[in-house]
Amino acid sequence: MVKPFPGQRAVRWVSHQALSTASALRAHPRRLAAGVGGALLLSSAGAYALVEAQPPLPPRSTIATALDNGVRSQSDALAAADMAYASSTSVRRQDTVQQLLRRLGVTDPAAITQLGQEPRFRALVAAGAGPEPVRAQVNAQGELLQLAAVLPLPSGTNPYDTPTWRELQVRPGPAGALEVSTSERRLETRTRLASVPVRGALTTALGQAGVPAAVGAQLVKVFAPQLDLRRSLRRGDQVALVYDMQVLDGRELRPGRLLAAEIRSRGVVRQAVWFAARGDAQGGYYTPAGQGLEKTWAASPLPGAKITSPFGMRRHPLKGSREMHEGVDFAAPIGTPVPSVAEGRVKFAGTQTGYGQVIKIGHPGGFETVYAHLSSIAVKPGQSVSEGQRIGKTGNSGLSTGPHLHFEFHAAGRLVDPVRMASYVPQGKPLPLGEKAAFFAATAVMRTQLAQAAGGDDAVRLARVD
């Protein structure tokens, strides 16, 4: 007979005891419930005894104190206070007086009506965005408490020759209406030097060097007859500038005139300095040797327009016969502004057979230009015009098959293909006779500063010329 292991005997004993206990519980269920209930009662008594053993807590009491902080009076004072709200905004394109005042929080009908009839405020809105935003203060009722804005210069004023800061002030008057006043202050001029390395786009390089966008535009225009700076400059090229900044109370407010510039591109150096001869209110740009740089003739009256009929012999689209086409035709919708390609004097402005409404302009040097098939004319015979001045609008008048501009160029009384006009006309304003000594004396400081800017390592440096 095989003897059981000790572990087997223990398992059998535990199983026997479990069966005996289960049998006893089934046989005496009431005794089981009474035992469980007694155990719970004893545990509750013990917990109560523990609670009773704690020290007694003091009785709870509530203290009420009346505080008089004048809340009602403070609320009434705030409601009655004349709160001022400050705001500022820039004049936007196609803004109206009402739109500008609404953005500033002005809702008072009387103020809107008065400023809408104020010529200086209307001129401010019509001029568009200025160098400074319009600032205003209004109360909770939308009534204007104060307004300040920088006024544009009067039409025809040269901002470089007469740097003036004109400010418009608006305040409530004693009689209830607004008082409008203007103050003017003379701006000082500070000369600024800049050395700009080109690593990408020219506008980006100028902006990173702190050169104002208006100065960059002057730079592009000065060298336009020679090259397109926006497209021609490459990484590694260098730009040096000397220009004015207009200052008020030590604060630079707006850019002034470009005085001198140097472009180093692919081993070629181009320089320009500004000079105004006696009797020349506008002045111009010249090389350091005195050769004129400014473009005196535009390459075309409608740059970028498609030529639909070139210069030369052709079959006339209406007559059907072969005839000489004495100019070029530019495609343009009716109403496109037509500028004069150069300064001159109007010889004829009216209607002629075939041409329809036509303008003929005589230019210095024995040149003449013709603008035909116009829809309107904006000049009169004998009137002087400048390069770029609008003289009329394109149309479809006369013998014409559709809206376009017919343009002719005459040199010494002889017809010339307008496409070749640039090879006939002067490309720069010549230095007036007898002005060479004055030119070198006036540009000496500029040339020195330009050399300093071109040879410096700093991105931007400032200098004042006494």
Side-chain angles (χ1 to χ4, degrees):
M1 181 175 178
V2 180
K3 296 181 179 180
F5 292 104
Q8 292 178 336
R9 289 196 297 269
V11 170
R12 288 176 181 177
W13 184 84
V14 170
S15 299
H16 176 72
Q17 293 297 324
L19 291 173
S20 299
T21 302
S23 299
L25 292 174
R26 286 194 296 270
H28 308 282
R30 293 183 178 179
R31 293 181 180 179
L32 174 63
V36 172
L40 293 174
L41 181 62
L42 289 175
S43 62
S44 300
Y48 179 77
L50 290 174
V51 171
E52 289 295 328
Q54 297 296 324
L57 295 174
R60 177 179 298 176
S61 60
T62 302
I63 300 175
T65 303
L67 300 177
D68 185 10
N69 290 329
V71 175
R72 183 178 297 277
S73 61
Q74 293 181 23
S75 176
D76 294 340
L78 287 174
D82 193 6
M83 304 291 289
Y85 303 91
S87 62
S88 65
T89 185
S90 296
V91 180
R92 299 173 184 172
R93 185 180 179 184
Q94 296 181 342
D95 248 346
T96 64
V97 172
Q98 292 79 5
Q99 291 171 338
L100 176 61
L101 292 176
R102 189 180 302 117
R103 291 201 304 274
L104 292 170
V106 180
T107 58
D108 179 23
I112 295 175
T113 301
Q114 181 179 349
L115 292 179
Q117 299 172 352
E118 167 59 45
R120 288 167 290 184
F121 196 80
R122 292 175 61 88
L124 168 70
V125 176
E132 295 283 332
V134 181
R135 305 177 301 278
Q137 287 186 359
V138 299
N139 59 19
Q141 291 74 40
E143 297 172 338
L144 184 61
L145 303 178
Q146 183 180 358
L147 184 143
V150 178
L151 287 171
L153 292 174
S155 178
T157 303
N158 190 329
Y160 305 140
D161 295 337
T162 55
T164 305
W165 189 255
R166 303 173 66 243
E167 190 171 58
L168 180 74
Q169 294 284 346
V170 182
R171 290 184 175 87
L178 297 175
E179 291 185 348
V180 183
S181 61
T182 304
S183 61
E184 292 189 5
R185 297 183 62 183
R186 182 81 177 184
L187 298 178
E188 298 178 357
T189 300
R190 176 181 298 175
T191 301
R192 187 169 182 177
L193 279 61
S195 177
V196 184
V198 178
R199 300 185 179 92
L202 174 63
T203 53
T204 302
L206 294 174
Q208 291 174 345
V211 178
V215 175
Q218 294 179 63
L219 173 70
V220 171
K221 184 177 180 181
V222 168
F223 288 98
Q226 302 179 33
L227 73 165
D228 185 350
L229 293 183
R230 291 191 177 95
R231 298 176 182 270
S232 302
L233 296 186
R234 298 290 184 269
R235 176 182 291 271
D237 293 345
Q238 193 78 15
V239 177
L241 302 171
V242 181
Y243 59 95
D244 283 339
M245 289 295 295
Q246 297 176 357
V247 181
L248 181 64
D249 297 332
R251 184 167 64 102
E252 293 184 346
L253 295 179
R254 61 190 180 203
R257 175 183 283 117
L258 176 66
L259 300 176
E262 177 182 288
I263 305 294
R264 292 179 178 267
S265 178
R266 306 175 192 177
V268 179
V269 179
R270 296 178 174 88
Q271 294 180 327
V273 292
W274 182 82
F275 173 71
R278 287 176 298 179
D280 184 3
Q282 297 297 324
Y285 290 92
Y286 302 83
T287 67
Q291 177 65 39
L293 288 176
E294 280 192 319
K295 193 174 184 179
T296 58
W297 281 72
S300 166
L302 298 178
K306 180 182 179 181
I307 296 179
T308 56
S309 183
F311 176 84
M313 295 298 296
R314 67 166 186 177
R315 185 175 297 279
H316 196 281
L318 293 178
K319 299 178 181 179
S321 58
R322 286 187 58 81
E323 295 182 1
M324 177 67 181
H325 190 222
E326 298 181 344
V328 294
D329 291 345
F330 294 98
I334 294 177
T336 302
V338 177
S340 173
V341 295
E343 66 177 12
R345 186 175 298 275
V346 179
K347 299 174 65 176
F348 180 86
T351 302
Q352 288 185 349
T353 303
Y355 280 139
Q357 295 194 62
V358 60
I359 300 172
K360 297 181 180 181
I361 301 178
H363 305 277
F367 304 106
E368 180 180 315
T369 53
V370 179
Y371 312 78
H373 304 307
L374 303 174
S375 62
S376 64
I377 295 174
V379 293
K380 298 179 180 180
Q383 178 180 339
S384 296
V385 296
S386 59
E387 187 268 324
Q389 178 179 338
R390 184 176 67 85
I391 57 176
K393 294 183 178 180
T394 59
N396 191 29
S397 59
L399 289 177
S400 173
T401 58
H404 71 285
L405 173 68
H406 174 81
F407 176 67
E408 297 179 10
F409 174 67
H410 302 249
R414 184 170 60 91
L415 279 170
V416 177
D417 185 353
V419 174
R420 301 177 57 236
M421 182 171 60
S423 61
Y424 286 83
V425 301
Q427 292 299 308
K429 183 187 298 184
L431 191 65
L433 295 176
E435 291 290 330
K436 182 163 287 190
F439 169 80
F440 287 116
T443 60
V445 173
M446 300 179 198
R447 288 181 279 117
T448 301
Q449 291 174 323
L450 185 60
Q452 180 185 356
D457 296 327
D458 298 336
V460 176
R461 288 164 293 154
L462 300 178
R464 184 182 296 278
V465 181
D466 298 327

